[in-house]
Structure formats: structure tokens, C-alpha cells
Amino acid sequence: MPTVSIITPLYNKAPYIGDTITSMLSQTYPDWEMLIVDNGSTDGSWEKAQQFQDSRIHLLQSPKQGPGAARNYGLTLAQGEWIQFLDADDLLAPDHLEQQLIAAKAHPEAEIVACHWQEFTDANPTERILKAPIGIGQPNQILRDKAIAFAPWAVHAALVKRSVLLPDCYWPEQLDQYLAEDIAFWFKLVSQSTVVYGTSKGALYRMETPQCRNQSFNLEKWFQGIHAAIELNQQYMLHTNKSYTPAQCDNLMILYSSIYLLAHKENSLSIGLQALSIASEWLKNYFSVAKKPKLAMFIRRLIGLKFYLNLTQSKVSK
């Protein structure tokens, strides 16, 4: 059995899938398998992938559409001890798997090994922005407090123990029609797994590709995706009888407050009102669980969240 199974959903990424596969063939750690799961490509992506002849590469056809469905299909067939998700337009630096497995060996208790990643664009491929995973250098609870509202890292910036990826923790396929499905996927996992951090910076995240699902920003779709993911996280909290921490309420309030401000900027009244209402509810929930509320939260409650947000936004824009 291979040590690592790389699972790559493939949908109309013909210009990139070759580079993605090549980045795997260049790994200094050789004991891996790559499951490329096509789910309806029509641009020659499947044919491009077939050009690579390596016994470690397995080409599969997903029985269902959507990135989550393709990843889950790959999970049912993966043989590795560890799972590495890798989208079909992203890359791994040659020593990435080796460095991640060194971290895993140093921490036998690890169930997720997260790391930094680098963002780049085709226009400036050598100009890269280094991003840090949420929770690095902090207790696991800090990660769980933030992950309820924000994806903690790029999809391929974490190595996951296969044993924790039970069907209940598969990708939420009901979110395949939305954006931000990784918020719900990672929150459930980090809520019940031991997370450690490696030193690799070799997860390379290609931004602004033509087929990227969030390339053409649409506030309504973005809000719908975020909200659907958060609702799943709330269901998880309910089903596991977990109580919200003050920090979780705070982060959810911050998330919906940021959506309100963006909607206000784009003159999207309906989304703005919805986001403000939800943010206000999380502010209320914060005070129901916080034993020592922060001063900034008292101020929000005293003057009203809408006024507070508009006031702080006007100061920032000056």
C-alpha cells in the first residue's frame, strides 16, 4: 500500500492538469498513488491526463458531478495511510510530501499535518504570496474557534490521516453547487482531530484561473455558499451536543459583518440586511456564553452593530 494517496478532482482543466501531474512525478518522496477523478470534462482534460504513463497514476470517472463528489469517490478507492487533496490546477513543490511526512513522523499523534502555502497567478508565476494556516503556534482550540467561520488553509496545504476520513467526514456533496464548501469539510475534521503543523511551504495555489469556481466574483453566490457551509457547521454543533465558545460566536459575527460591509459597498440591500441580521444574532449569542465580554463587544451592543460597522468602515476609508 502507498503511504500517500493524492486525490485530484478534474473538471475542464486541460491547460493545467499536465503541470499538476508533473509536480507529482517530481516528488522526492516516491511512495504515493494519484487518483485523478474526472467528473464530466469536455475540454480534453481527460485525454491530457491519459498521456502520462506511470503505474502510480490512476484515472477514474466519477459517477456524480461536483468537486466534493469526485473527491469522495477517490476516497472510497484510496489505499494510502495519508490523504493529500490536490486540485487539478494547483501544484506541489518537489519536496512537499517529504517535508510533510517528516512532520508526521515527528508527531505520531498527528491526524492532520497543516502547513503554509504560496499563492501565484499565471500572469506572474514567480511572484508568490506566502500564506499561513490558521492556528499555527497556538492551541488547537484557537483553530477550532476560527474554523467554524473560515477555511483554515488551502485545500492542498494539509495532509490528512486516512483513518479519520470516515464517511461521516467526507466532503459535503450538498455544497457542490456552492462556493466555500471547504469551510464545512475542514471544520468537522479539525473539531475531532489532532492537528500539527509542518515546515513545508510547497503547496502552490494557482489563483485567477479562467475555470476557477470563484473567479468571477458574484456576491449573491458567495453569500449563499458561505451561509450554506455555516449552516452545516451549526448542524454539526447541534448533533454533537457541542456548545459555542465566545470566540466562535465572535468569528461568526465577524464573518457576517464583513459580508454586510461588502454588500453595503456594492449596494446589495437584500444581502446586506440578511448578513447584518445574522451578525447581530451572533453578537447576541456571544453575550449569552461569554463570562468576560470584550470591551469592543460591549460597544457594538451599546451603539448597535450597524452603526458600529458603518462608523469603523468610514474611519478606514478616510
Side-chain angles (χ1 to χ4, degrees):
M1 292 197 309
T3 303
V4 184
S5 293
I6 296 88
I7 298 178
T8 299
L10 176 61
Y11 179 72
N12 286 352
K13 293 294 172 63
Y16 304 111
I17 184 59
D19 289 344
T20 300
I21 296 173
T22 298
S23 79
M24 284 309 310
L25 295 173
S26 301
Q27 292 298 304
T28 56
Y29 187 85
D31 188 23
W32 51 262
E33 65 172 356
M34 185 178 194
L35 287 74
I36 301 173
V37 188
D38 186 77
N39 57 353
S41 293
T42 58
D43 70 339
S45 297
W46 177 253
E47 291 74 16
K48 277 282 185 69
Q50 288 179 313
Q51 295 174 9
F52 291 84
Q53 300 298 315
D54 190 293
S55 61
R56 296 170 296 179
I57 299 175
H58 309 288
L59 302 181
L60 309 168
Q61 293 278 4
S62 175
K64 292 188 285 186
Q65 291 279 314
R71 293 181 185 119
N72 290 341
Y73 184 63
L75 279 172
T76 65
L77 300 172
Q79 298 295 310
E81 178 187 359
W82 293 90
I83 300 296
Q84 169 72 66
F85 296 107
L86 177 64
D87 285 350
D89 52 2
D90 293 328
L91 309 168
L92 297 181
D95 66 345
H96 177 73
L97 287 184
E98 182 179 2
Q99 292 300 316
Q100 285 287 79
L101 289 168
I102 288 174
K105 186 175 181 179
H107 299 276
E109 77 282 8
E111 294 171 316
I112 299 176
V113 182
C115 67
H116 288 73
W117 71 95
Q118 300 180 61
E119 297 181 351
F120 71 100
T121 64
D122 288 339
N124 296 289
T126 59
E127 183 178 319
R128 297 173 178 174
I129 301 173
L130 184 65
K131 297 285 188 174
I134 289 177
I136 188 169
Q138 299 173 308
N140 263 7
Q141 187 57 48
I142 301 297
L143 168 62
R144 292 165 181 165
D145 286 341
K146 292 186 178 180
I148 195 171
F150 307 100
W153 40 67
V155 168
H156 57 314
L159 199 61
V160 184
K161 204 74 173 285
R162 180 66 180 86
S163 58
V164 303
L165 283 167
L166 301 174
D168 184 56
C169 288
Y170 277 16
W171 286 83
E173 295 181 18
Q174 63 268 48
L175 297 185
D176 274 357
Q177 61 182 308
Y178 299 113
L179 307 176
E181 75 279 2
D182 50 343
I183 294 176
F185 173 76
W186 289 118
F187 176 63
K188 181 180 287 189
L189 269 186
V190 303
S191 294
Q192 56 194 45
S193 304
T194 300
V195 180
V196 303
Y197 295 87
T199 59
S200 177
K201 300 177 177 65
L204 309 180
Y205 187 8
R206 194 190 305 267
M207 306 290 288
E208 301 177 8
T209 62
Q211 295 296 331
C212 181
R213 294 207 306 155
N214 58 2
Q215 170 61 22
S216 299
F217 182 75
N218 181 301
L219 178 59
E220 183 176 1
K221 288 184 178 180
W222 187 65
F223 172 69
Q224 289 175 346
I226 293 283
H227 190 53
I230 298 304
E231 285 187 326
L232 276 188
N233 288 348
Q234 290 179 258
Q235 291 176 26
Y236 171 76
M237 295 288 287
L238 178 64
H239 293 160
T240 54
N241 294 315
K242 294 181 183 293
S243 299
Y244 292 98
T245 66
Q248 286 175 330
C249 296
D250 189 353
N251 282 305
L252 286 164
M253 182 205 65
I254 290 172
L255 170 65
Y256 284 101
S257 293
S258 68
I259 296 174
Y260 163 75
L261 290 173
L262 186 56
H264 183 72
K265 181 179 179 181
E266 296 198 0
N267 296 313
S268 181
L269 180 61
S270 176
I271 293 176
L273 288 174
Q274 292 178 69
L276 181 62
S277 175
I278 299 171
S280 299
E281 191 63 29
W282 284 113
L283 176 62
K284 180 181 177 181
N285 291 339
Y286 170 87
F287 279 98
S288 70
V289 296
K291 294 181 178 179
K292 295 181 179 180
K294 296 185 295 185
L295 177 60
M297 302 298 268
F298 274 120
I299 294 173
R300 284 178 172 89
R301 186 169 70 170
L302 179 64
I303 67 176
L305 186 56
K306 180 179 180 179
F307 183 75
Y308 178 91
L309 292 173
N310 291 339
L311 180 64
T312 54
Q313 184 67 11
S314 64
K315 288 182 179 180
V316 171
S317 60
K318 287 182 180 179

